[in-house]
Amino acid sequence: MSEVSWREVAPGVHVRRHEELKLNCGLVVGEQRALVVDTRSFHRQGSDLLRAVREITDLELVVVNTHAHFDHCFGNAAFRDSQIYAHSGAADDLLRTGEHQRRQVVEHLRSTDREEIARDVEATEIVLPFYLVEEDTAIDLGGREVELLYAGRGHTDHDLAVAVPDAGVVFAGDLVEEGADPAMEDAFPMEWAATLHALLERPAGVLSETWVPGHGRVVDRSFVQEQAALLGRLAETFTEVLAGRPTGVDALASAARGLGLEDHTLRQAAVRALELRSGPTS
Ligand SMILES: [Zn+2]
């Protein structure tokens, strides 16, 4: 953990990539306040992040959770004195699924012999974001504005991206993934591409060449365009198959083989596409 360090990708815009899950957290420093993007997986990791933030700035902190998956928000416990922003859907989701997420993570940690971390996760209080937004929102950090962008459903139904227009940087959360497939468990595979296109076409998106994915290496605008195109091909393939006779997960997933996504990803995407089609859901 101690070997992790910040990388300044633009003046006053820092990325901290962690070994665990290749998770990226962000720090944007203004003249009066600084903004932290995502808080890691449990209280102690959040505290470690906070210490690292304090090596760079003493300013008052504002926090944004890009979405309600544990690795982006369970570290909120260390930032409870700060304003914590998220989409209102993230607060709902965390309230509804937080304990379930915790059980799954703890089980996974125990099955991979990481008892100490499992206890850390068990002991972490889940702190909900409480500055809730549902549309694009500007936050003034003093001398610099940051934009929270909601472009539609994708990785979840409540992904927020954080744009720093003066620096040409977008923190995309898990709407963009580098080094692994886009994660589909809670995704909207038929809408994700359109959401990414909408994000790329926002004024701040058009101007940004530096995109920070939720996990993996920092990428450029063309990487995001390619990921949007890939997700667009996936949605098109699914649409074609679903327009024909009734179909199941296997048939749907196998129709999309060859696009360059792993079988596991295709199956999860197929499960979600069928789930979302079969009933009125959020
Ligand atoms: Zn996620």
Side-chain angles (χ1 to χ4, degrees), residues 20 28 32 41 49 58 63 82 90 92 96 100 109 119 121 132 137 156 161 223:
E20 180 96 31
V28 184
Q32 272 129 39
S41 301
L49 177 64
D58 290 328
V63 173
S82 303
D92 292 346
R96 203 173 60 239
H100 174 71
L109 288 165
R119 283 206 204 121
V121 176
L132 304 179
T137 302
T156 67
F223 180 97

Side-chain angles (χ1 to χ4, degrees), residues 23 25 42 44 48 61 72 107 127 150 161 169 200 217 240 247-248 273:
L23 178 83
C25 292
F42 50 88
R44 196 158 53 84
D48 168 71
L61 299 178
H72 302 263
E107 198 177 301
V127 173
Y150 178 69
V169 179
L200 283 159
R217 290 175 199 287
E240 277 168 28
T247 189

Side-chain angles (χ1 to χ4, degrees), residues 6 12-16 25-29 34-37 52-54 56-57 61 171:
W6 293 103
V13 183
H14 308 260
V15 177
R16 192 175 194 241
C25 292
L27 175 65
V28 184
V29 183
L35 180 138
V36 175
V37 183
V53 167
R54 287 305 179 211
I56 293 183
T57 178
L61 299 178
F171 292 89

Side-chain angles (χ1 to χ4, degrees), residues 14-75:
H14 308 260
V15 177
R16 192 175 194 241
R17 184 154 80 104
H18 303 86
E19 193 48 46
E20 180 96 31
L21 304 171
K22 310 287 183 226
L23 178 83
N24 289 316
C25 292
L27 175 65
V28 184
V29 183
E31 285 166 12
Q32 272 129 39
R33 302 197 291 172
L35 180 138
V36 175
V37 183
D38 287 338
T39 60
R40 309 186 67 196
S41 301
F42 50 88
H43 193 152
R44 196 158 53 84
Q45 281 191 344
S47 301
D48 168 71
L49 177 64
L50 177 57
R51 266 194 305 279
V53 167
R54 287 305 179 211
E55 285 167 13
I56 293 183
T57 178
D58 290 328
L59 292 173
E60 178 195 337
L61 299 178
V62 182
V63 173
V64 178
N65 296 141
T66 55
H67 63 293
H69 286 155
F70 75 98
D71 45 330
H72 302 263
C73 63
F74 276 24

Side-chain angles (χ1 to χ4, degrees), residues 10-282:
V13 183
H14 308 260
V15 177
R16 192 175 194 241
R17 184 154 80 104
H18 303 86
E19 193 48 46
E20 180 96 31
L21 304 171
K22 310 287 183 226
L23 178 83
N24 289 316
C25 292
L27 175 65
V28 184
V29 183
E31 285 166 12
Q32 272 129 39
R33 302 197 291 172
L35 180 138
V36 175
V37 183
D38 287 338
T39 60
R40 309 186 67 196
S41 301
F42 50 88
H43 193 152
R44 196 158 53 84
Q45 281 191 344
S47 301
D48 168 71
L49 177 64
L50 177 57
R51 266 194 305 279
V53 167
R54 287 305 179 211
E55 285 167 13
I56 293 183
T57 178
D58 290 328
L59 292 173
E60 178 195 337
L61 299 178
V62 182
V63 173
V64 178
N65 296 141
T66 55
H67 63 293
H69 286 155
F70 75 98
D71 45 330
H72 302 263
C73 63
F74 276 24
N76 283 0
F79 293 88
R80 54 187 327 149
D81 296 336
S82 303
Q83 296 176 354
I84 304 178
Y85 282 81
H87 190 281
S88 61
D92 292 346
D93 191 272
L94 194 52
L95 195 58
R96 203 173 60 239
T97 70
E99 291 304 328
H100 174 71
Q101 290 192 57
R102 186 207 299 281
R103 280 195 299 279
Q104 282 192 317
V105 174
V106 166
E107 198 177 301
H108 173 70
L109 288 165
R110 294 225 155 100
S111 73
T112 49
D113 275 334
R114 287 177 287 173
E115 177 62 27
E116 195 190 337
I117 301 179
R119 283 206 204 121
D120 273 331
V121 176
E122 272 181 334
T124 292
E125 184 189 348
I126 296 174
V127 173
L128 298 179
F130 49 92
Y131 281 74
L132 304 179
V133 303
E134 288 177 0
E135 54 194 31
D136 295 0
T137 302
I139 298 181
D140 184 7
L141 300 180
R144 149 175 269 180
E145 228 172 49
V146 166
E147 293 176 6
L148 310 187
L149 303 177
Y150 178 69
R153 308 196 290 189
H155 173 67
T156 67
D157 63 3
H158 56 258
D159 306 284
L160 278 188
V162 180
V164 193
D166 71 72
V169 179
V170 176
F171 292 89
D174 289 358
L175 281 172
V176 177
E177 179 103 29
E178 192 281 330
D181 280 353
M184 292 286 173
E185 302 99 301
D186 298 318
F188 292 76
M190 313 302 270
E191 299 172 42
W192 194 336
T195 297
L196 271 186
H197 284 300
L199 194 56
L200 283 159
E201 292 312 316
R202 288 286 204 276
V206 170
L207 292 172
S208 289
E209 262 308 318
T210 303
W211 292 69
V212 184
H215 306 266
R217 290 175 199 287
V218 174
V219 298
D220 60 14
R221 189 181 156 76
S222 68
F223 180 97
V224 180
Q225 286 168 322
E226 278 163 32
Q227 193 151 97
L230 171 63
L231 289 162
R233 286 194 291 276
L234 176 70
E236 267 169 39
T237 305
F238 279 4
T239 302
E240 277 168 28
V241 176
L242 290 169
R245 64 185 109 85
T247 189
V249 170
D250 289 334
L252 195 53
S254 66
R257 269 201 200 114
L259 292 180
L261 292 163
E262 289 179 27
D263 283 356
H264 163 81
T265 306
L266 293 175
R267 279 193 65 83
Q268 277 190 329
V271 167
R272 286 292 290 165
L274 289 168
E275 247 172 39
L276 292 163
R277 182 179 185 241
S278 66
T281 65
S282 60

